[in-house]
Amino acid sequence: MTLKVEDLSVSFPTGPVLAGISLALERGEIVGLTGTSGAGKSLVAEALAGALPGDATRTGRITVDGALAPPHMVALAPQRLDALDPLAPVGRQIDRFARLAGRSADVPGALASVGLPATTARLYPHELSGGMARRVLLATALATGADWIVADEPTVGLDEAAAGRILSLLADLAASGRGVIVISHDLIGLARIASRVVILRQGRHVETAPAHAFDGLGSCLREDFSRALWQAQLAPDAPC
Amino acid sequence: MSAWLPALLAGRMIRLGWLLPLAAAGLFALISLAPIDPVQAYVGGRTSQIGPEQRDAIAAAWGLDRPAAERFASWLGQLARGDLGQSITFNAPVMQVIAARLPASMALVGLAFALSFVLGTLLGLAAGATRGRWPDRVIRTIAVVLAASPGFWVAILLVAVFAVGLGWLPACCATPPGQLASEVTPADSLRHMVLPVATLSVVGIAPLVLHTRQSLIAFLDSPAARHLSAHGASPLRLAFGPGLRHAAGVALTLHLASAGELFGGSVLAETVFAWPGLGQATVRAATGADAPLLMGIGLATLLFVFAGNLLADIAARLADPRLRRVA
Amino acid sequence: MSGAVDPTLPLPARRRNPRRRATRHGVVALALLGAVLLAAPLLPEGALSIDRAARALPPDPAHPIGTDMLGRDIAARTLAALAKSVQVGLLAAGASTLVAVVLGLAATFGRAADHVVGVLTELALGLPHFVLLIMIAFAMGGGTTGVVVAVALTHWPRLSRIMRHEAQGIATSDYVAISRALGRSRLWVARHHLAPHLVPQIIAGFIVIFPHAILHEAGLSFIGLGIEPHLPSIGVMMSESLREIMAGHWWVAAAPGLGLMLIALAFERFGEALRQLSGPPGATT
């Protein structure tokens, strides 16, 4: 199965913010999406999941094997940790998402698939570490049973080791037959797990580069902007 | 897990430990200020029959001839033994008057508490879930109008419509006139409670409705609610599902913390409906210069407000686990 | 029901302009207040007097809201009573505002003062509002003075908390430190930095207290601890109407309560609009 996004654009009453985003994704595959801060990365995630603010208008097509995708086809694991309800234990929250999708929840199963013990179900969000909360957010998206997941900045705020574990978890999720879109500013991490990476600049699609293009100084990248973005990651603390 | 409860209780007991004596001293000072002569109030219209010697005797019997500090000390001493003194208007020990009249008031206040909580929370949830649309506007208008309505006026209008106009419900008292409490059927008691409880329930409902609405809207705007609606949850489903705990927790906390105001409202409601409770006794004590009874009622309502606040603190922690961490 | 409307739609425009909203509510409230205060002295001679020939009349052209059992015109009496209630309410709310400002500012004079004000607040909130009002009115021997003192001593905690918070925020701010370093006196700082911030809060606080003041004044008068019974006041009228209502004279009770409610409502909304203008969003009650 192939998820296809064609010419996705989003505009607010104040003007357009995203234009001409296109990508294609197979089940079992990871596609990365990156760009500078404010490039509209999170907005892409919300547009794919159908979670845009009320005053936004979306144009473009999202199809699965040529058929128009129904709403909530793509499950979102949002960037903000406070997307977890502070007043409900983890288990009940996972259950809510399953029921929204009309399924009965397998809470221990959902927790196990993100590498958390079943006892996590009893904990409240404020009792979770950053890495655990990221995993729970992924579990809420998985609980809907969706074949397509978009994870918005799943490694932000985590130390290197924890971020690495989340990336391998995402790779495992893809390996189990889901199509995963990972949004991240961490191009090195994306290049490691994704097959292709979409690069955004100020709401516009710059290019879609194969993962192997992120190598050396990025000489295989087509656009200067992409190359600059990649080189900035290689030497983040270079003097200016 | 519930290590927070003993810590909370201990803290509140310490507060009660200094609040109660201070309030007692304050009440005593306040009531000693009153320019009304309790002997004159007691004697009332019988001035011609009671001479100055008898007045002095009454004053001496009540200890009015001694200095204020001494009277306060002896009142405190009595208080420590659980003796609140003698009520002048009811000619009975204050403790006995309060004990006899508290149940009638508690029945009103308790029923009104439950009813207004259910009503206020539901209306607040409905308003929050339909924010900006007509149900929201209607509910908010009702709440604001009720907040600006004098409680006793609402009571009188209810009497005018349902007791006098339609003749459906009794206009006064807790029992039909001329019947002993033992002869009254439960159905009769209930009929007598309808109008007073209705008055008390609607008069103080506005803050509950508006706060419930506000906390539900805060939840609906939160990332958590947006995450749920990204997966198909409608505002109504959010309001009466996950939002319930956000809004109702705040509502219950607020409602318990303002339970004392319900008692304040019942002073006026009991006056309108001639309800034989503590509120009516408060008015009679104040107009009859019954200082011991007033002080007794003051202390009793202080404990009532304190208990309400304590339960509110507990409710807040039950609703929100983040508050349970021992500070 | 407009079920198709998106719930995340922006709020109606009238709610997005708090300044204009406050102005509109303010004009309504002050116009109502002015109308009552100006019209009451214009009542013709004898409008409040007893007329045995016109006892307990239902509304008719000569007496638009009817008369009571003593033949007094309810419309005229309601107007006079509203004027009295409003005057007492203004006085009481003003006194309470003063108490709030004094205590709120006093709390910023060191930790001990802060503690004392904290304890006073705790005590004032320790009894049900109306019970404390009764106690104080009783201590003052009832009457108009009693009402004013009782309201003044019970409605200050909220405003005093705001005053304390604002004054502390300004006193510890950088520009006050700079002013002091430049050699400005305490008084100069208070006049030029404190007052401009506090005055709007004080006015808003007064407007918020006022409807509560008139409602509580009416409550005290209703139970006989407030305005003297020979003066026309809403509470006294309502208390008298208690006897008439049983005879079906609903108009005796309806008008005075409605008048009081409309004034309280106008100021309640004005105060709410002012609070939204000055306070942080969502900070209700």
Side-chain angles (χ1 to χ4, degrees), chain B residues 15 22 30 33-35 133 140 144 148-149 152-153 156 164 171 211 235 260-261 272 286 289 294 298 301-302 305, chain C residues 1 7 15 119 122 126-129 134-135 138-139 141 215 219 222 225 238 245-246 253-254 257-258 261 264-265 285:
Chain B
R15 177 186 300 200
L22 266 180
L30 205 55
L33 274 178
R133 307 214 308 266
R140 267 188 300 149
V144 178
S149 302
F152 52 93
W153 181 59
I156 291 174
V164 181
H211 267 89
E261 294 315 303
V272 174
L294 262 186
T301 53
L302 180 92
V305 170
Chain C
M1 191 168 145
R15 284 193 42 95
V119 168
E122 199 87 19
L127 289 186
H129 220 122
I134 291 175
M135 299 280 174
F138 171 78
L215 288 175
F222 178 72
L225 276 176
M238 299 297 287
I245 205 78
M246 285 306 164
L258 189 65
M261 190 265 266
L265 184 62
T285 12

CSV table of all heavy atoms in Angstrom, one decimal, chain B residues 15 22 30 33-35 133 140 144 148-149 152-153 156 164 171 211 235 260-261 272 286 289 294 298 301-302 305, chain C residues 1 7 15 119 122 126-129 134-135 138-139 141 215 219 222 225 238 245-246 253-254 257-258 261 264-265 285:
chain,number,residue,atom,x,y,z
B,15,ARG,N,-3.9,25.1,61.5
B,15,ARG,CA,-4.5,26.4,61.2
B,15,ARG,C,-5.8,26.6,62.0
B,15,ARG,O,-6.0,27.6,62.6
B,15,ARG,CB,-4.9,26.4,59.7
B,15,ARG,CG,-5.7,27.6,59.3
B,15,ARG,CD,-6.2,27.6,57.9
B,15,ARG,NE,-5.1,27.4,56.9
B,15,ARG,CZ,-5.3,27.7,55.7
B,15,ARG,NH1,-6.4,28.2,55.2
B,15,ARG,NH2,-4.3,27.6,54.8
B,22,LEU,N,-8.7,32.9,67.7
B,22,LEU,CA,-8.7,34.2,67.2
B,22,LEU,C,-10.1,34.7,66.8
B,22,LEU,O,-10.6,35.8,67.1
B,22,LEU,CB,-7.8,34.4,66.0
B,22,LEU,CG,-6.4,34.8,66.2
B,22,LEU,CD1,-5.6,34.9,64.9
B,22,LEU,CD2,-6.4,36.2,66.9
B,30,LEU,N,-16.6,41.7,68.9
B,30,LEU,CA,-17.7,42.3,68.0
B,30,LEU,C,-19.0,42.4,68.7
B,30,LEU,O,-19.7,43.4,68.7
B,30,LEU,CB,-17.8,41.3,66.8
B,30,LEU,CG,-18.3,41.9,65.5
B,30,LEU,CD1,-17.4,43.1,65.1
B,30,LEU,CD2,-18.2,40.8,64.4
B,33,LEU,N,-19.4,44.9,71.4
B,33,LEU,CA,-19.5,46.3,70.9
B,33,LEU,C,-20.9,46.7,70.8
B,33,LEU,O,-21.2,47.9,70.8
B,33,LEU,CB,-18.9,46.4,69.5
B,33,LEU,CG,-17.4,46.6,69.3
B,33,LEU,CD1,-17.0,46.6,67.9
B,33,LEU,CD2,-17.0,48.0,69.9
B,34,ALA,N,-21.8,45.8,70.6
B,34,ALA,CA,-23.2,46.1,70.3
B,34,ALA,C,-23.8,47.0,71.3
B,34,ALA,O,-23.7,46.8,72.5
B,34,ALA,CB,-24.0,44.8,70.2
B,35,PRO,N,-24.4,48.1,70.8
B,35,PRO,CA,-25.0,49.1,71.7
B,35,PRO,C,-26.3,48.6,72.3
B,35,PRO,O,-26.9,49.3,73.1
B,35,PRO,CB,-25.2,50.3,70.9
B,35,PRO,CG,-25.4,49.8,69.5
B,35,PRO,CD,-24.6,48.5,69.4
B,133,ARG,N,-21.9,29.8,20.8
B,133,ARG,CA,-23.2,29.5,20.1
B,133,ARG,C,-24.3,29.8,21.1
B,133,ARG,O,-24.1,30.2,22.2
B,133,ARG,CB,-23.2,28.1,19.6
B,133,ARG,CG,-22.0,27.8,18.8
B,133,ARG,CD,-22.3,26.8,17.6
B,133,ARG,NE,-23.0,25.6,18.1
B,133,ARG,CZ,-22.4,24.5,18.4
B,133,ARG,NH1,-21.1,24.4,18.3
B,133,ARG,NH2,-23.1,23.4,18.8
B,140,ARG,N,-25.1,31.4,29.9
B,140,ARG,CA,-24.4,32.5,30.6
B,140,ARG,C,-25.3,33.6,31.0
B,140,ARG,O,-25.1,34.2,32.1
B,140,ARG,CB,-23.3,33.0,29.7
B,140,ARG,CG,-21.9,32.2,29.9
B,140,ARG,CD,-20.8,32.9,29.2
B,140,ARG,NE,-21.1,32.9,27.8
B,140,ARG,CZ,-20.7,33.8,26.9
B,140,ARG,NH1,-20.0,34.8,27.4
B,140,ARG,NH2,-21.0,33.7,25.6
B,144,VAL,N,-25.7,34.9,34.9
B,144,VAL,CA,-25.3,36.3,35.3
B,144,VAL,C,-26.6,37.0,35.9
B,144,VAL,O,-26.5,37.7,36.9
B,144,VAL,CB,-24.8,37.1,34.1
B,144,VAL,CG1,-24.5,38.5,34.5
B,144,VAL,CG2,-23.5,36.5,33.6
B,148,ALA,N,-27.1,38.3,39.9
B,148,ALA,CA,-27.5,39.7,40.3
B,148,ALA,C,-28.8,39.7,41.0
B,148,ALA,O,-29.3,40.8,41.4
B,148,ALA,CB,-27.5,40.6,39.0
B,149,SER,N,-29.5,38.6,41.2
B,149,SER,CA,-30.8,38.6,41.8
B,149,SER,C,-30.7,38.4,43.3
B,149,SER,O,-30.0,37.4,43.7
B,149,SER,CB,-31.7,37.5,41.2
B,149,SER,OG,-31.8,37.6,39.8
B,152,PHE,N,-33.6,36.5,48.4
B,152,PHE,CA,-34.9,36.5,49.0
B,152,PHE,C,-36.0,36.9,48.0
B,152,PHE,O,-37.2,36.5,48.1
B,152,PHE,CB,-34.9,37.5,50.2
B,152,PHE,CG,-34.4,38.8,50.0
B,152,PHE,CD1,-35.3,39.9,49.6
B,152,PHE,CD2,-33.1,39.1,50.1
B,152,PHE,CE1,-34.8,41.1,49.3
B,152,PHE,CE2,-32.6,40.4,49.8
B,152,PHE,CZ,-33.4,41.4,49.4
B,153,TRP,N,-35.6,37.7,47.0
B,153,TRP,CA,-36.6,38.1,45.9
B,153,TRP,C,-37.0,36.9,45.1
B,153,TRP,O,-38.1,36.6,44.8
B,153,TRP,CB,-36.0,39.2,45.1
B,153,TRP,CG,-36.8,39.7,44.0
B,153,TRP,CD1,-38.1,40.2,44.1
B,153,TRP,CD2,-36.5,39.6,42.6
B,153,TRP,NE1,-38.5,40.6,42.9
B,153,TRP,CE2,-37.6,40.2,41.9
B,153,TRP,CE3,-35.5,39.1,41.8
B,153,TRP,CZ2,-37.7,40.3,40.5
B,153,TRP,CZ3,-35.5,39.3,40.4
B,153,TRP,CH2,-36.6,39.9,39.8
B,156,ILE,N,-39.4,34.9,47.1
B,156,ILE,CA,-40.7,35.5,47.2
B,156,ILE,C,-41.4,35.2,45.8
B,156,ILE,O,-42.6,34.9,45.8
B,156,ILE,CB,-40.6,37.0,47.5
B,156,ILE,CG1,-40.2,37.1,49.0
B,156,ILE,CG2,-42.0,37.7,47.3
B,156,ILE,CD1,-39.9,38.6,49.4
B,164,VAL,N,-48.9,30.7,45.9
B,164,VAL,CA,-50.1,31.5,45.9
B,164,VAL,C,-50.8,31.4,44.6
B,164,VAL,O,-52.0,31.1,44.5
B,164,VAL,CB,-49.8,33.0,46.2
B,164,VAL,CG1,-51.0,33.8,46.3
B,164,VAL,CG2,-49.0,33.1,47.6
B,171,ALA,N,-46.2,27.4,51.1
B,171,ALA,CA,-45.4,28.6,51.1
B,171,ALA,C,-44.6,28.8,52.3
B,171,ALA,O,-43.7,29.6,52.4
B,171,ALA,CB,-46.3,29.9,51.0
B,211,HIS,N,-17.4,28.9,36.3
B,211,HIS,CA,-16.1,28.3,36.5
B,211,HIS,C,-16.0,26.9,35.7
B,211,HIS,O,-15.0,26.6,35.2
B,211,HIS,CB,-15.8,28.0,38.0
B,211,HIS,CG,-15.1,29.1,38.6
B,211,HIS,ND1,-15.7,30.2,39.1
B,211,HIS,CD2,-13.7,29.3,38.7
B,211,HIS,CE1,-14.7,31.1,39.6
B,211,HIS,NE2,-13.6,30.5,39.3
B,235,PRO,N,-16.3,18.0,20.3
B,235,PRO,CA,-16.3,18.8,21.5
B,235,PRO,C,-17.3,18.2,22.6
B,235,PRO,O,-16.9,18.2,23.8
B,235,PRO,CB,-16.8,20.1,21.1
B,235,PRO,CG,-16.5,20.2,19.6
B,235,PRO,CD,-16.6,18.8,19.1
B,260,GLY,N,-20.2,27.5,52.6
B,260,GLY,CA,-20.6,28.4,53.6
B,260,GLY,C,-21.5,29.5,53.1
B,260,GLY,O,-22.5,29.9,53.8
B,261,GLU,N,-21.4,29.8,51.8
B,261,GLU,CA,-22.3,30.8,51.2
B,261,GLU,C,-23.7,30.2,51.1
B,261,GLU,O,-24.7,31.0,51.2
B,261,GLU,CB,-21.8,31.2,49.8
B,261,GLU,CG,-20.5,32.0,49.9
B,261,GLU,CD,-20.4,33.1,51.0
B,261,GLU,OE1,-21.3,33.9,50.9
B,261,GLU,OE2,-19.6,33.0,51.9
B,272,VAL,N,-37.8,33.8,54.6
B,272,VAL,CA,-38.9,33.9,53.7
B,272,VAL,C,-39.9,32.7,54.0
B,272,VAL,O,-41.1,32.9,54.1
B,272,VAL,CB,-38.5,33.9,52.3
B,272,VAL,CG1,-39.7,33.8,51.3
B,272,VAL,CG2,-37.7,35.1,51.9
B,286,ALA,N,-30.1,37.9,66.2
B,286,ALA,CA,-29.5,39.3,65.9
B,286,ALA,C,-30.6,40.3,66.3
B,286,ALA,O,-30.2,41.4,66.8
B,286,ALA,CB,-29.1,39.3,64.5
B,289,ALA,N,-31.1,40.6,70.2
B,289,ALA,CA,-29.9,40.8,71.0
B,289,ALA,C,-29.5,39.6,71.9
B,289,ALA,O,-29.1,39.8,73.0
B,289,ALA,CB,-30.2,42.0,72.0
B,294,LEU,N,-25.8,34.2,69.2
B,294,LEU,CA,-25.1,34.7,68.0
B,294,LEU,C,-23.6,34.1,68.0
B,294,LEU,O,-23.1,33.7,66.9
B,294,LEU,CB,-25.0,36.2,68.0
B,294,LEU,CG,-26.1,36.9,67.2
B,294,LEU,CD1,-25.8,38.4,67.2
B,294,LEU,CD2,-26.1,36.4,65.7
B,298,GLY,N,-22.0,31.8,65.3
B,298,GLY,CA,-20.7,32.2,64.7
B,298,GLY,C,-19.7,31.1,64.7
B,298,GLY,O,-19.1,30.8,63.6
B,301,THR,N,-20.8,28.1,62.4
B,301,THR,CA,-20.6,28.4,61.0
B,301,THR,C,-19.2,28.4,60.6
B,301,THR,O,-18.8,28.1,59.5
B,301,THR,CB,-21.4,29.6,60.5
B,301,THR,OG1,-21.0,30.7,61.3
B,301,THR,CG2,-22.9,29.5,60.6
B,302,LEU,N,-18.3,28.9,61.5
B,302,LEU,CA,-16.9,28.9,61.3
B,302,LEU,C,-16.4,27.5,61.0
B,302,LEU,O,-15.7,27.2,60.1
B,302,LEU,CB,-16.1,29.5,62.5
B,302,LEU,CG,-14.6,29.6,62.3
B,302,LEU,CD1,-14.2,30.9,61.7
B,302,LEU,CD2,-13.9,29.4,63.6
B,305,VAL,N,-17.6,26.3,57.6
B,305,VAL,CA,-16.8,26.9,56.5
B,305,VAL,C,-15.5,26.1,56.4
B,305,VAL,O,-15.0,25.8,55.4
B,305,VAL,CB,-16.6,28.4,56.6
B,305,VAL,CG1,-15.6,28.9,55.6
B,305,VAL,CG2,-17.9,29.1,56.5
C,1,MET,N,-30.5,24.4,15.8
C,1,MET,CA,-29.1,24.4,16.3
C,1,MET,C,-28.2,24.4,15.1
C,1,MET,O,-28.3,23.7,14.1
C,1,MET,CB,-28.9,23.2,17.1
C,1,MET,CG,-27.6,23.3,17.9
C,1,MET,SD,-27.5,22.0,19.1
C,1,MET,CE,-25.8,21.7,19.1
C,7,PRO,N,-16.6,24.4,16.1
C,7,PRO,CA,-16.5,24.9,17.5
C,7,PRO,C,-15.3,25.8,17.7
C,7,PRO,O,-15.2,26.5,18.7
C,7,PRO,CB,-16.5,23.6,18.3
C,7,PRO,CG,-16.0,22.6,17.3
C,7,PRO,CD,-16.5,23.0,16.0
C,15,ARG,N,-16.8,40.2,21.5
C,15,ARG,CA,-16.0,39.8,22.7
C,15,ARG,C,-14.5,40.0,22.5
C,15,ARG,O,-13.7,39.9,23.4
C,15,ARG,CB,-16.2,38.3,22.9
C,15,ARG,CG,-17.6,38.1,23.6
C,15,ARG,CD,-17.7,36.7,24.2
C,15,ARG,NE,-16.5,36.2,24.8
C,15,ARG,CZ,-16.3,36.4,26.1
C,15,ARG,NH1,-17.2,37.0,26.9
C,15,ARG,NH2,-15.3,35.9,26.7
C,119,VAL,N,-3.8,37.1,58.2
C,119,VAL,CA,-4.7,36.6,59.3
C,119,VAL,C,-6.1,37.2,59.3
C,119,VAL,O,-7.1,36.6,59.4
C,119,VAL,CB,-4.0,36.7,60.7
C,119,VAL,CG1,-5.0,36.5,61.8
C,119,VAL,CG2,-2.8,35.8,60.8
C,122,GLU,N,-8.0,35.8,56.5
C,122,GLU,CA,-8.4,34.4,56.9
C,122,GLU,C,-9.7,34.5,57.8
C,122,GLU,O,-10.6,33.8,57.7
C,122,GLU,CB,-7.3,33.7,57.7
C,122,GLU,CG,-7.4,32.3,57.7
C,122,GLU,CD,-6.8,31.6,56.5
C,122,GLU,OE1,-6.0,32.2,55.8
C,122,GLU,OE2,-7.1,30.4,56.3
C,126,GLY,N,-13.5,33.4,57.2
C,126,GLY,CA,-13.8,32.2,58.0
C,126,GLY,C,-15.2,32.0,58.3
C,126,GLY,O,-15.6,30.8,58.5
C,127,LEU,N,-16.1,33.0,58.2
C,127,LEU,CA,-17.5,32.8,58.4
C,127,LEU,C,-18.2,33.0,57.0
C,127,LEU,O,-17.7,33.7,56.2
C,127,LEU,CB,-18.0,33.9,59.3
C,127,LEU,CG,-17.7,33.9,60.8
C,127,LEU,CD1,-18.4,35.0,61.5
C,127,LEU,CD2,-18.0,32.5,61.4
C,128,PRO,N,-19.4,32.4,56.9
C,128,PRO,CA,-20.2,32.7,55.7
C,128,PRO,C,-20.3,34.2,55.6
C,128,PRO,O,-20.6,34.9,56.6
C,128,PRO,CB,-21.5,32.0,55.9
C,128,PRO,CG,-21.2,31.0,56.9
C,128,PRO,CD,-20.1,31.5,57.8
C,129,HIS,N,-20.2,34.7,54.4
C,129,HIS,CA,-20.3,36.2,54.1
C,129,HIS,C,-21.5,36.8,54.9
C,129,HIS,O,-21.3,37.8,55.6
C,129,HIS,CB,-20.5,36.4,52.6
C,129,HIS,CG,-19.7,37.5,52.1
C,129,HIS,ND1,-18.8,37.4,51.1
C,129,HIS,CD2,-19.7,38.8,52.5
C,129,HIS,CE1,-18.2,38.5,50.9
C,129,HIS,NE2,-18.7,39.4,51.7
C,134,ILE,N,-24.2,39.9,59.3
C,134,ILE,CA,-25.2,40.0,60.4
C,134,ILE,C,-24.5,40.4,61.7
C,134,ILE,O,-24.9,41.3,62.4
C,134,ILE,CB,-25.9,38.7,60.5
C,134,ILE,CG1,-26.9,38.5,59.3
C,134,ILE,CG2,-26.8,38.7,61.8
C,134,ILE,CD1,-27.6,37.2,59.3
C,135,MET,N,-23.3,39.7,62.0
C,135,MET,CA,-22.6,39.9,63.2
C,135,MET,C,-22.2,41.4,63.3
C,135,MET,O,-22.3,42.0,64.4
C,135,MET,CB,-21.3,39.1,63.3
C,135,MET,CG,-21.6,37.6,63.2
C,135,MET,SD,-22.1,37.0,64.8
C,135,MET,CE,-22.6,35.3,64.4
C,138,PHE,N,-25.1,43.8,63.6
C,138,PHE,CA,-25.6,43.7,65.0
C,138,PHE,C,-24.6,44.5,66.0
C,138,PHE,O,-25.1,45.2,66.8
C,138,PHE,CB,-25.6,42.2,65.4
C,138,PHE,CG,-25.9,42.0,66.9
C,138,PHE,CD1,-27.2,42.1,67.4
C,138,PHE,CD2,-24.8,41.6,67.8
C,138,PHE,CE1,-27.4,41.9,68.7
C,138,PHE,CE2,-25.1,41.4,69.1
C,138,PHE,CZ,-26.4,41.6,69.6
C,139,ALA,N,-23.3,44.3,65.8
C,139,ALA,CA,-22.4,45.0,66.7
C,139,ALA,C,-22.6,46.5,66.5
C,139,ALA,O,-22.3,47.3,67.5
C,139,ALA,CB,-21.0,44.6,66.3
C,141,GLY,N,-25.3,47.9,66.0
C,141,GLY,CA,-26.7,48.3,66.4
C,141,GLY,C,-27.6,48.5,65.2
C,141,GLY,O,-28.6,49.2,65.4
C,215,LEU,N,-26.7,44.4,47.0
C,215,LEU,CA,-27.5,43.1,47.3
C,215,LEU,C,-27.4,42.8,48.8
C,215,LEU,O,-28.4,42.4,49.4
C,215,LEU,CB,-26.9,42.0,46.4
C,215,LEU,CG,-27.2,42.1,44.9
C,215,LEU,CD1,-26.5,40.9,44.2
C,215,LEU,CD2,-28.7,42.0,44.7
C,219,GLY,N,-30.3,42.6,51.7
C,219,GLY,CA,-30.5,41.4,52.5
C,219,GLY,C,-30.6,41.7,54.0
C,219,GLY,O,-31.4,41.3,54.7
C,222,PHE,N,-33.7,43.5,54.7
C,222,PHE,CA,-34.8,42.5,54.6
C,222,PHE,C,-35.0,41.8,56.0
C,222,PHE,O,-36.2,41.6,56.4
C,222,PHE,CB,-34.5,41.5,53.5
C,222,PHE,CG,-35.6,40.5,53.4
C,222,PHE,CD1,-36.8,40.7,52.8
C,222,PHE,CD2,-35.3,39.1,53.8
C,222,PHE,CE1,-37.8,39.8,52.7
C,222,PHE,CE2,-36.3,38.2,53.6
C,222,PHE,CZ,-37.5,38.5,53.1
C,225,LEU,N,-32.0,44.2,60.0
C,225,LEU,CA,-30.8,44.7,60.6
C,225,LEU,C,-30.2,45.8,59.7
C,225,LEU,O,-29.0,46.2,60.0
C,225,LEU,CB,-29.8,43.6,60.7
C,225,LEU,CG,-29.9,42.7,61.9
C,225,LEU,CD1,-28.9,41.5,61.8
C,225,LEU,CD2,-29.7,43.5,63.2
C,238,MET,N,-39.3,44.6,50.5
C,238,MET,CA,-39.5,43.2,50.2
C,238,MET,C,-40.0,42.5,51.5
C,238,MET,O,-40.8,41.6,51.5
C,238,MET,CB,-38.2,42.6,49.8
C,238,MET,CG,-37.6,43.1,48.5
C,238,MET,SD,-38.6,42.8,47.1
C,238,MET,CE,-38.3,41.1,47.0
C,245,ILE,N,-47.8,39.1,49.8
C,245,ILE,CA,-47.7,38.1,48.8
C,245,ILE,C,-48.8,37.0,49.0
C,245,ILE,O,-49.3,36.5,48.0
C,245,ILE,CB,-46.3,37.5,48.7
C,245,ILE,CG1,-46.0,37.0,47.3
C,245,ILE,CG2,-46.0,36.5,49.7
C,245,ILE,CD1,-45.7,38.1,46.4
C,246,MET,N,-49.1,36.7,50.3
C,246,MET,CA,-50.0,35.7,50.6
C,246,MET,C,-51.4,36.0,50.1
C,246,MET,O,-52.3,35.2,49.8
C,246,MET,CB,-50.1,35.4,52.1
C,246,MET,CG,-48.9,34.6,52.5
C,246,MET,SD,-48.8,33.2,51.6
C,246,MET,CE,-47.2,32.7,51.8
C,253,ALA,N,-44.0,42.8,45.4
C,253,ALA,CA,-42.7,42.2,45.5
C,253,ALA,C,-41.9,42.3,44.2
C,253,ALA,O,-40.7,42.4,44.2
C,253,ALA,CB,-42.8,40.8,46.0
C,254,ALA,N,-42.6,42.2,43.1
C,254,ALA,CA,-41.9,42.0,41.8
C,254,ALA,C,-41.1,43.2,41.5
C,254,ALA,O,-39.9,43.1,41.1
C,254,ALA,CB,-42.9,41.8,40.7
C,257,GLY,N,-37.7,44.2,43.6
C,257,GLY,CA,-36.6,43.2,43.4
C,257,GLY,C,-36.0,43.3,42.0
C,257,GLY,O,-34.8,43.3,41.7
C,258,LEU,N,-37.0,43.6,41.0
C,258,LEU,CA,-36.5,43.7,39.6
C,258,LEU,C,-35.6,44.9,39.5
C,258,LEU,O,-34.6,44.9,38.8
C,258,LEU,CB,-37.7,43.8,38.7
C,258,LEU,CG,-37.5,43.8,37.2
C,258,LEU,CD1,-36.9,42.4,36.8
C,258,LEU,CD2,-38.7,44.1,36.4
C,261,MET,N,-32.3,44.2,40.9
C,261,MET,CA,-31.6,43.2,40.1
C,261,MET,C,-31.0,43.9,38.9
C,261,MET,O,-29.9,43.6,38.5
C,261,MET,CB,-32.6,42.1,39.7
C,261,MET,CG,-31.9,40.9,39.0
C,261,MET,SD,-32.0,41.1,37.3
C,261,MET,CE,-33.5,40.2,37.0
C,264,ALA,N,-27.9,45.9,39.9
C,264,ALA,CA,-26.8,44.9,40.2
C,264,ALA,C,-26.3,44.3,38.9
C,264,ALA,O,-25.1,44.2,38.8
C,264,ALA,CB,-27.3,43.9,41.2
C,265,LEU,N,-27.2,43.9,38.0
C,265,LEU,CA,-26.8,43.2,36.8
C,265,LEU,C,-25.9,44.1,36.0
C,265,LEU,O,-24.9,43.7,35.5
C,265,LEU,CB,-28.1,42.8,36.0
C,265,LEU,CG,-27.9,42.0,34.7
C,265,LEU,CD1,-27.2,40.7,35.1
C,265,LEU,CD2,-29.2,41.7,34.1
C,285,THR,N,-14.0,35.8,39.1
C,285,THR,CA,-14.3,35.8,40.6
C,285,THR,C,-13.1,35.9,41.5
C,285,THR,O,-12.0,35.6,41.2
C,285,THR,CB,-15.1,34.7,41.1
C,285,THR,OG1,-15.2,33.7,40.1
C,285,THR,CG2,-16.5,35.1,41.4
